[in-house]
Amino acid sequence: MAACRKTVSMAWRNTSSTFQQVRNYSAPVDGSIPGAKQKYIPKSGSYPKGFLVSGIHVGVKPSNKTLPDLTIISSEVPASAAAVFTKNKFQAAPVTVSRETLQKRSGKGIRAIIINSGCANAVTGKGGLEDANSMAAAVDKQYSENTDQVSSTLVMSTGVIGQRLPIQKIISAVPKAFENLDNTHQSWLTIARAICTTDTFPKLLSTTFTLPSSPGTTYSLAGITKGAGMIHPNMATLLGILCTDAPIHASTLQPLLTHAVDRSFNAISIDGDTSTNDTVALLANGAAGGQPIESPKSEDGIAMQEILTSFTQQLSQLVVRDGEGATKFVQIRVINSPSFADARLIASTIARSPLVKCALYGKDANWGRILCAIGYTQGLSQDAVIPEQTSVSFVPTDGTEPLKLLFDGEPESVDEIRASQILAEEDLEILVDLGKGGGREHEASYWTCDFSHEYVTINGDYRT
């Protein structure tokens, strides 16, 4: 990940007899987007039919005076829905409420998602559950046909844990949010910004695709996500919302999303911490027409799985590129493994190693730390790792030859100058070859970033 500034200053600025630490890699306090991050923001997009979105300023967090922090995503027709939630034991109120809504509705008839940033509504007891239900009820009232006992609205929150929402502020702003509903690129970009916390840029992607049964029909898929810290499966301090106008049955939607998330949002790590609010939801309203996808194993289902997995990987990687204080984007790829599960465990262990991440920040080709992480990986199958069969390389992203560090358990004579050149780049791949001859189905990738001084600074004063 590119830094906001090239220098790594930890200077203290004396202003009015107070001391304030200068941050070089974190979000500017005025909400502006650092120049180095502008390249990740799309200038246009292709958005799914039948979805309208809105992002407005409420002031959930008292220090937020102008930035949007309340989001509504509305489907003009009832949509199928699926979601994957955090596995943290302290699950936030919106996670509990949204899960129950999906269960009661069997993933059918969802009309909207309401999201606030600035307060997580986590570890807030019965009052927090009441607040989450109140948010859903306020949205339900905007649909005149909604006479069901069960809400048709999913709820998400992100921000500081352990604080109650300013619920009246939020509820009273819902009608205004509905007045601003639109389907323009700017509207989608605004909601991507409205769900941010410590993010330095809004994360938005969209694409178009076709399906085998309806080659003449063009479908759209759009997604927003947020996250920059407390990121590690299962899942992370992130929210993700995906919307498509393809017709997908509710029973098919959940396995498609679960498979995709396992290979994307559950394959990223910034700091090894899993949060309380994490939710990735997928809505499909069928507004573009065509043959419904009734099974993930059908021809359309298989095609949709490939499209969704690739899309969620691209979207989740934006979270890593915005890792708190991060200067590098690193793919860890494990190949020739006896199984996908073994490869995934090893990639995950390397990705969350503080020593590996510090070495990457220091541009130090200390490959012994990578080997250590491979060697202490827990839960592997017997003989998954045999030192004499293991190879490790740095793979540059400019297409030049990989730099071999270890080959079949024997250390290579490392060109330190070449290693420094590779590690000076923004993007890097660490390739681990276990030498088992496994096929592509036994490979796994993880995406992570480095640890900088700035990460400690950001998290040391997060609540201030």
Side-chain angles (χ1 to χ4, degrees), residues 294-344:
E294 299 181 351
S295 168
K297 296 182 180 181
S298 66
E299 188 178 17
D300 280 354
I302 293 170
M304 189 71 225
Q305 185 68 84
E306 293 178 357
I307 293 162
L308 186 62
T309 300
S310 175
F311 185 84
T312 54
Q313 286 178 344
Q314 294 174 60
L315 189 61
S316 66
Q317 287 168 25
L318 292 177
V319 175
V320 180
R321 291 193 177 278
D322 202 19
E324 289 174 343
T327 69
K328 295 189 184 305
F329 174 84
V330 184
Q331 176 175 344
I332 299 166
R333 190 158 64 99
V334 180
I335 64 174
N336 290 319
S337 169
S339 70
F340 172 78
D342 287 328
R344 180 184 174 86

Side-chain angles (χ1 to χ4, degrees), residues 346-375:
I346 290 170
S348 172
T349 303
I350 298 170
R352 67 175 183 268
S353 166
L355 289 178
V356 170
K357 292 158 78 68
C358 288
L360 291 169
Y361 173 64
K363 305 179 182 62
D364 180 10
N366 193 341
W367 51 268
R369 295 179 176 181
I370 299 171
L371 289 189
C372 283
I374 297 170

